[in-house]
Amino acid sequence: VCVSNMLELQRRIADQIGMEANLLLEAQSLSNTITEHDQDLKRKLLPLLHNRINQSKKSISDCETVKEMATDWWEQPAQYTTPWIKHHGKALLQWLDEWRLTTNLLQKQVNHQTISEKYQKF
């Protein structure tokens, strides 16, 4: 009886070791899959991110230019009484509209980037 109990115990231990080895192989496979997925995401998203950053830098530069031009118009005393006068091809109201549009787009980009950064933390 003692020998059969020992054999049964050895069989159970061998089964347990086999199951743990299978779990280890599955964990390694999953880890490799996750690593490949992460690398694929980096390959796809980094160029997109660099492009968005460059677009944002250009937008900020454009905003500064439009702000300077709007300020030039604001400082002119006849700004509202001479709508036919144009600076760089646009009247004051056109520059103000462009300023509002550009700042709104920039704000949306900043909000989108902030949301994206929050989700990247997860």
Side-chain angles (χ1 to χ4, degrees), residues 19-102:
M19 289 187 331
E20 289 175 1
N22 286 338
L23 286 174
L24 180 59
L25 289 174
E26 288 178 23
Q28 287 173 339
S29 175
L30 182 59
S31 176
N32 290 340
T33 302
I34 290 170
T35 301
E36 290 173 8
H37 181 69
D38 284 349
Q39 290 173 351
D40 187 44
L41 283 177
K42 285 179 188 177
R43 252 189 324 276
K44 290 178 182 177
L45 294 179
L46 280 178
L48 180 63
L49 179 61
H50 288 298
N51 185 25
R52 300 295 181 182
I53 289 171
N54 290 335
Q55 287 175 346
S56 296
K57 287 178 182 178
K58 184 183 179 318
S59 295
I60 290 171
S61 174
D62 290 347
C63 284
E64 291 171 1
T65 302
V66 171
K67 181 181 178 185
E68 289 172 8
M69 291 179 180
T71 301
D72 289 345
W73 271 101
W74 187 258
E75 292 172 356
Q76 294 180 15
Q79 60 190 333
Y80 294 109
T81 59
T82 57
W84 59 89
I85 295 177
K86 298 185 179 207
H87 183 71
H88 290 284
K90 295 181 184 177
L92 172 64
L93 292 178
Q94 292 170 318
W95 281 114
L96 291 174
D97 288 342
E98 186 171 336
W99 169 255
R100 287 183 198 107
L101 177 65
T102 305

